[in-house]
């Protein structure tokens, strides 16, 4: 029992610009998930942000960072 030290809670996410292949894969997964949610919401970003559990401002930042509009 007790913490094993292997928890990633609080660990920083890899930078999308780091060149790390895992970061690129994560960005691809995130990009596709956001696209799918936006499509399900007929492009309504306010509704998509709610479904994603993020603020509208955060969604716009992610869209910009991931090269989506």
């Amino acid at each position: 029992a007790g913490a094993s030290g292997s928890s990633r809670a609080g660990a920083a996410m890899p930078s999308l610009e780091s060149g790390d292949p895992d970061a690129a894969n994560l960005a691809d997964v995130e990009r596709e998930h956001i696209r799918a949610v936006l499509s399900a919401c007929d492009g309504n970003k306010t509704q998509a942000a709610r479904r994603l559990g993020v603020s509208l401002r955060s969604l716009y930042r992610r869209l910009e960072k991931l090269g989506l509009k």
Side-chain angles (χ1 to χ4, degrees):
S4 66
S6 64
S7 172
R8 297 209 27 118
M13 288 182 53
S15 168
L16 298 180
E17 294 82 25
S18 69
D20 179 355
D22 291 333
N25 291 335
L26 178 60
D28 291 340
V29 169
E30 184 176 16
R31 185 178 294 111
E32 290 310 310
H33 182 62
I34 290 172
R35 278 186 183 149
V37 172
L38 278 167
S39 178
C41 295
D42 296 322
N44 184 317
K45 291 180 180 82
T46 301
Q47 188 178 11
R50 271 193 215 115
R51 285 192 186 188
L52 290 165
V54 299
S55 69
L56 184 58
R57 181 166 168 77
S58 291
L59 177 58
Y60 273 104
R61 279 194 300 260
R62 295 311 297 166
L63 290 170
E64 184 176 337
K65 186 161 190 141
L66 294 169
L68 301 171
K69 179 72 175 108

